[in-house]
Amino acid sequence: MKRLLLRTRARLRDAAKPVTNVAIGALTTGLLRTTRYFDPEKTARFFGHAAHFIGRRLREDRIGRENLTAAFPEKSPQEIEEILTGVWHNLGRIGAEFAHIDRIWDHDPKNPDKSGRVEFSARSKQLFDQLRDDGKPALFFAAHLGNWELSPIAAAAHGLDATILFRRPNIEAADRAIERIRAVNLGTLVPAGRDAPLKLAQALQRGQHVAMLVDQYLTNGVPVTFFGRKTTANPLLARLRRQIDCPIHGTRIIRLPDGRFRGEVTEEVKPVFDASGQVDIQGTTQAITDVVEGWIREYPDQWLWLHRRWR
């Protein structure tokens, strides 16, 4: 009898899934369209508070707390809660800002001193211009930190020819709604999949720049140490570097007060080589992970702690 009930529940869930997906897709489309009619900063503040109110009641809140406690054993429970509050506010703000993603980037390279939402350090600007203009391929990595959705906008807005790896939402209707907004000038988008490594390698061979997020946990990834704990990470960027001789740089968009951002490009992250002279996949992935950890330690409330990072 119990087995029959379980099978019936599974069938009902499968039957309801298409209807649920359509509803979520319609809600996503409507929310994104509606948000575009309101002031970006006021909407971002509202979404931040809403995400915090709702998020603290979800299982992801517990996951985030456990991750933070594991990463920062020296911090008090109060400090952990303060960071987690910032995480939810940052996530909510990203949701609101995504609806305005085609017009939120207002940095004018011809007038760098002009007041706006975005600023760059002189060194980041120098590195960016050099990488854009040298006619050579390069690999860029980013993390789920600050507003990571703005990095492709920054590249396209300032003439950097980039091919970007991204992961599609699981719900097709929501994917279409998000893709329509991402269809603004974001460079070439390559969805994650079996043929993605080949497409990215081909882009590098054509002299383009390739960018991807690298901070996700990957079950069959290579072993790395992250915040003093063993985990596994995606080795794709290191494998591409083994195929194509090109520099590796990190990039991040940090959230500042008053709805502003700071764009940064790191110095070149040198790959690690093995005894045979080839790029060491595990060592290079660890070098990249170390940079990401340093970013997160600097701005822990701007990283996405809400998914399992250690198993």
Side-chain angles (χ1 to χ4, degrees):
M1 185 66 177
K2 184 177 180 181
R3 189 176 297 175
L4 177 61
L5 287 172
L6 290 173
R7 282 203 301 265
T8 302
R9 286 174 58 186
R11 286 170 182 168
L12 288 172
R13 186 171 59 246
D14 291 343
K17 190 173 181 180
V19 177
T20 303
N21 287 352
V22 169
I24 293 175
L27 178 63
T28 302
T29 302
L31 192 61
L32 289 172
R33 286 177 178 172
T34 303
T35 302
R36 287 175 67 82
Y37 289 103
F38 297 93
D39 176 80
E41 175 53 20
K42 291 180 180 177
T43 309
R45 284 200 301 269
F46 173 79
F47 272 50
H49 288 293
H52 178 248
F53 178 79
I54 297 169
R56 299 311 291 263
R57 291 153 177 81
L58 302 178
R59 71 194 265 302
E60 283 78 9
D61 192 68
R62 174 179 55 79
I63 293 171
R65 186 176 297 103
E66 291 173 355
N67 283 340
L68 281 163
T69 302
F72 299 108
E74 74 282 3
K75 292 189 180 297
S76 67
Q78 180 181 353
E79 290 174 307
I80 295 296
E81 293 304 316
E82 289 174 358
I83 294 172
L84 194 53
T85 294
V87 171
W88 283 114
H89 276 268
N90 185 63
L91 186 59
R93 281 178 164 271
I94 290 170
E97 290 158 357
F98 189 78
H100 300 274
I101 199 167
D102 56 335
R103 51 196 179 193
I104 202 170
W105 191 268
D106 63 355
H107 181 76
D108 184 356
K110 296 180 180 178
N111 299 288
D113 297 326
K114 180 182 176 182
S115 177
R117 294 189 186 94
V118 183
E119 66 180 46
F120 285 97
S121 69
R123 180 55 178 160
S124 287
K125 178 69 166 56
Q126 180 185 20
L127 285 167
F128 183 94
D129 290 347
Q130 175 186 319
L131 290 162
R132 180 193 60 200
D133 300 335
D134 64 8
K136 300 176 182 178
L139 284 160
F140 287 92
F141 65 89
H144 292 87
L145 184 78
N147 189 330
W148 59 87
E149 292 284 355
L150 289 178
S151 291
I153 289 286
H158 301 290
L160 185 80
D161 187 11
T163 297
I164 300 153
L165 181 69
F166 78 104
R167 186 173 298 280
R168 292 186 183 278
N170 293 330
I171 298 171
E172 183 179 352
D175 176 35
R176 289 197 299 270
I178 292 171
E179 191 168 349
R180 279 194 290 272
I181 289 184
R182 278 182 169 152
V184 298
N185 191 12
L186 288 181
T188 302
L189 299 178
V190 173
R194 287 186 177 183
D195 61 346
L198 176 60
K199 290 180 178 179
L200 297 176
Q202 290 172 338
L204 290 170
Q205 289 167 349
R206 293 192 297 267
Q208 294 179 310
H209 307 87
V210 165
M212 66 188 74
L213 293 162
V214 296
D215 56 335
Q216 303 97 322
Y217 172 86
L218 188 66
T219 303
N220 59 345
V222 299
V224 295
T225 300
F226 185 61
F227 282 88
R229 298 163 66 90
K230 297 295 182 182
T231 186
T232 52
N234 192 335
L236 177 56
L237 190 141
R239 287 176 176 162
L240 289 169
R241 175 58 182 84
R242 175 179 277 189
Q243 295 179 55
I244 311 293
D245 184 5
C246 63
I248 301 171
H249 291 266
T251 180
R252 61 177 180 170
I253 307 294
I254 295 301
R255 187 178 300 283
L256 302 176
D258 303 320
R260 301 179 66 251
F261 304 93
R262 182 173 69 247
E264 296 179 357
V265 178
T266 71
E267 301 293 333
E268 181 179 354
V269 178
K270 297 293 185 180
V272 177
F273 294 92
D274 60 23
S276 67
Q278 282 194 316
V279 170
D280 183 284
I281 301 300
Q282 188 277 332
T284 301
T285 304
Q286 181 66 65
I288 293 166
T289 300
D290 289 344
V291 173
V292 171
E293 180 179 328
W295 288 347
I296 298 167
R297 287 186 179 278
E298 192 174 358
Y299 297 97
D301 58 334
Q302 295 192 30
W303 191 59
L304 193 64
W305 292 94
L306 308 176
H307 301 286
R308 289 290 179 192
R309 195 59 183 85
W310 300 278
R311 296 285 179 176

